[in-house]
Amino acid sequence: MKYLTLILFLWVGSGCYYDHADLSYPQSNSSSGCNVASVTYSSSVAGILSASCYSCHGGSAAAGGGIQLDTYNSLKVYVSNGQLINSINHAGNIPAMPLNGPQLSACQIKTIQTWINNGSPNN
Ligand code: HEC
């Protein structure tokens, strides 16, 4: 158990390192390999969700507990109630997403967070 905690600590710690690198060089997003300067719903967010979430939350998929995330309007519900960001951050008292899958990358999460911070426009 101690080792698990240590591994988790190192893993989370390395994530923080990249976050700090971004803060240190706010003018050069690209140098960190995660460019969020021109995030849009259609070109950035929908692609991430399509790859990792639509299999359960898209179309007529039955595996997503009836929750649909594959249209702007349906996604907006979970942006507004905070569950989209909590689910991918594995935060809050809701199931971690993608269910039974690896967490989205730090850059993917940052991309979605940036879109939300921008007011989650339908662009
Ligand atoms: C393997 C299927 C599966 C995948 C893949 C998946 N989900 Fe889910 N998701 C579920 C199920 C099932 C629920 C309902 C869980 C519950 O209510 O107990 C759910 C619930 C949710 C909820 C609502 C949480 C709540 O408690 O109300 C959100 C938001 C969500 N998922 C987002 C995502 C996102 C974002 C992704 C992709 C990064 C994703 N899911 C990928 C199966 C999946």
Side-chain angles (χ1 to χ4, degrees):
M1 191 57 194
K2 271 183 182 162
Y3 284 109
L4 183 62
T5 308
L6 181 65
I7 289 165
L8 263 177
F9 175 76
L10 290 174
W11 181 70
V12 169
S14 66
C16 290
Y17 173 80
Y18 288 110
D19 286 347
H20 289 172
D22 285 340
L23 287 176
S24 309
Y25 307 103
Q27 300 306 319
S28 54
N29 292 325
S30 55
S31 71
S32 70
C34 185
N35 192 335
V36 293
S38 55
V39 165
T40 66
Y41 170 69
S42 58
S43 73
S44 321
V45 175
I48 295 169
L49 300 183
S50 172
S52 300
C53 317
Y54 289 4
S55 59
C56 294
H57 293 297
S60 55
I67 293 160
Q68 286 205 303
L69 304 175
D70 61 339
T71 67
Y72 175 80
N73 285 332
S74 58
L75 180 62
K76 205 51 183 164
V77 173
Y78 297 94
V79 171
S80 303
N81 67 18
Q83 291 188 348
L84 173 66
I85 202 66
N86 278 345
S87 71
I88 62 174
N89 273 321
H90 297 183
N93 197 17
I94 62 171
M97 294 292 147
L99 196 70
N100 303 327
Q103 188 172 20
L104 296 182
S105 73
C107 187
Q108 289 175 316
I109 293 173
K110 185 176 174 183
T111 298
I112 292 172
Q113 180 70 68
T114 300
W115 175 68
I116 293 173
N117 290 349
N118 290 347
S120 53
N122 187 3
N123 57 2

